[in-house]
């Protein structure tokens, strides 16, 4: 079980690397996903990810791309710690011997278990982050102004209690279970391939960055539709979607068709590679460092 503890600690380091590198792309993604439908004859608020980025920096400055980062940065250490600790638990459950090599499916199972475990930490941070990001873009659907992460928590709790803070839990599970399965299994598969026979687990920094980046792209390629539904649900005014995810899905398909489920695809993929390359690089570096002392 020492591996669980090591992965728990190193996962926090990897998570911080992910947020610092990936948050600007995430801000663009959320703003594109949640922008209002234009009236007939009017242009959309943003024509795409690059236009969103350009407008955001022109109107609010470069650091507007880091709006809402406090919540995921504070939450990301326990989140990624829980995720990679959960991956280690998944391996521990499935291995008869610690030296047994994990199959692709077993790694996918470990990732899925970790995806379930992270939900309790993930949902409140995602809800706060999305509300602050959308508010900064000037099209907050809730009509409520928030002064920062703690103000969001206070106002959400006043509106609907704990249930309001955890709105989007089902959508997050729908997104993270398959995505986490793909994330870990693809990383471990590529890690093995890049290391070559007889050199398992020993990767150069460049190979680690490549494996992590491609694993991140695999992660997001699986879960974009669920992420669109989650962003819409978490930034909507109280009571807009009484049926939850089903109501959001009906609205998206009615107004935008199936392509609406892939809104934000460009910024997601642009973010996926560098953010997750940084995550696994930080994870492996921290693991190597911690193992020097045990």
């Amino acid at each position: 079980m020492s591996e669980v503890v090591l992965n728990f600690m190193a996962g926090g380091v990897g998570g911080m690397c992910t947020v610092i590198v990936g948050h600007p792309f995430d801000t663009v993604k959320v703003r594109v996903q949640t922008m209002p439908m234009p009236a007939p004859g009017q242009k959309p608020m943003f024509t795409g990810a690059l236009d969103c980025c350009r407008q955001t920096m022109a109107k609010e400055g470069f650091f507007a791309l880091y709006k809402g980062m406090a919540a995921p940065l504070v939450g990301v250490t326990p989140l990624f710690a829980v995720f990679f600790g959960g991956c280690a638990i998944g391996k521990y459950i499935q291995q008869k011997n610690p030296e047994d090599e994990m199959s692709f499916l077993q790694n996918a199972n470990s990732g899925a278990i970790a995806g379930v475990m992270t939900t309790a930490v993930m949902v409140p941070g995602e809800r706060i982050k999305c509300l602050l990001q959308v508010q900064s873009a000037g099209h907050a659907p809730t009509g409520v102004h928030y002064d920062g992460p703690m103000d969001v928590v206070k106002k959400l709790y006043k509106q609907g209690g704990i249930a309001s803070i955890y709105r989007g839990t089902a959508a997050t599970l729908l997104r993270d279970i398959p995505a986490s399965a793909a994330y870990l299994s693809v990383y471990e598969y590529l890690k093995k391939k890049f290391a070559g026979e007889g050199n398992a687990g020993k990767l150069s920094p460049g190979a680690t960055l490549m494996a992590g980046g491609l694993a991140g792209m695999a992660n997001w390629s699986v879960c974009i539709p669920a992420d669109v539904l989650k962003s819409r649900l978490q930034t909507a005014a109280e009571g807009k979607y009484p049926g939850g995810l089903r109501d959001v899905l009906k609205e998206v398909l009615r107004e935008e068709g199936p392509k609406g489920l892939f809104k934000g695809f460009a910024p997601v993929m642009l973010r996926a590679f560098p953010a997750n390359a940084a995550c696994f690089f930080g994870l492996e570096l921290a693991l190597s460092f911690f193992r020097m002392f045990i």
Side-chain angles (χ1 to χ4, degrees):
M1 291 296 284
S2 63
E3 278 299 302
V4 174
V5 177
L6 286 176
N7 278 273
F8 183 87
M9 294 190 296
V13 176
M16 285 189 281
C17 295
T18 304
V19 173
I20 292 165
V21 172
H23 194 79
F25 298 98
D26 190 70
T27 297
V28 172
K29 170 187 75 79
V30 171
R31 291 186 177 196
V32 169
Q33 286 178 341
T34 60
M35 66 179 175
M37 284 292 292
Q42 287 189 341
K43 291 183 178 179
M45 181 176 283
F46 309 118
T47 57
L50 287 176
D51 182 53
C52 176
C53 186
R54 182 185 58 78
Q55 285 194 46
T56 298
M57 290 194 291
K59 293 176 183 176
E60 304 170 57
F62 173 76
F63 288 104
L65 294 171
Y66 283 90
K67 287 276 178 74
M69 191 176 80
L73 195 57
V74 169
V76 86
T77 301
L79 171 66
F80 275 77
V82 169
F83 176 78
F84 285 107
C87 290
I89 289 171
K91 290 179 181 179
Y92 178 78
I93 291 169
Q94 296 178 90
Q95 286 176 316
K96 292 180 180 177
N97 187 302
E99 302 304 316
D100 289 348
E101 189 173 306
M102 296 280 285
S103 68
F104 187 88
L105 181 59
Q106 285 176 318
N107 280 316
N109 290 337
S110 297
I113 289 167
V116 174
M117 292 174 67
T118 57
T119 300
V121 182
M122 171 78 80
V123 177
E126 286 276 300
R127 178 107 153 97
I128 293 164
K129 171 185 70 69
C130 288
L131 285 169
L132 289 173
Q133 286 171 326
V134 171
Q135 172 181 277
S136 300
H139 61 273
T142 63
V144 180
H145 178 78
Y146 302 107
D147 295 321
M150 289 309 298
D151 189 47
V152 177
V153 174
K154 288 176 188 174
K155 287 176 178 174
L156 289 179
Y157 187 77
K158 189 175 180 181
Q159 286 171 5
I162 292 293
S164 180
I165 294 171
Y166 273 86
R167 186 202 289 177
T169 298
T172 303
L173 285 168
L174 185 64
R175 180 190 74 172
D176 286 357
I177 291 174
S180 297
Y183 193 44
L184 184 67
S185 56
V186 169
Y187 177 70
E188 292 293 342
Y189 173 78
L190 292 175
K191 190 176 171 183
K192 207 178 298 179
K193 286 291 181 184
F194 292 161
E197 292 297 326
N199 198 29
K202 295 179 183 177
L203 291 182
S204 67
T208 300
L209 290 167
M210 181 62 72
L214 292 173
M217 293 181 76
N219 175 315
W220 281 100
S221 65
V222 169
C223 68
I224 289 275
D227 188 63
V228 170
L229 300 179
K230 182 193 74 67
S231 293
R232 287 275 190 107
L233 184 63
Q234 290 188 317
T235 57
E238 288 289 334
K240 182 177 180 181
Y241 300 115
L245 273 178
R246 282 176 297 178
D247 284 358
V248 184
L249 179 61
K250 287 176 186 174
E251 182 184 82
V252 172
L253 293 176
R254 183 177 67 248
E255 294 181 354
E256 304 172 60
K259 70 177 183 180
L261 292 171
F262 292 89
K263 247 184 179 181
F265 184 83
V268 162
M269 285 303 164
L270 284 171
R271 172 188 181 273
F273 191 94
N276 291 286
C279 173
F280 279 103
F281 185 76
L283 173 79
E284 297 289 358
L285 200 63
L287 280 172
S288 297
F289 176 77
F290 293 148
R291 281 175 180 148
M292 289 168 58
F293 299 95
I294 61 168

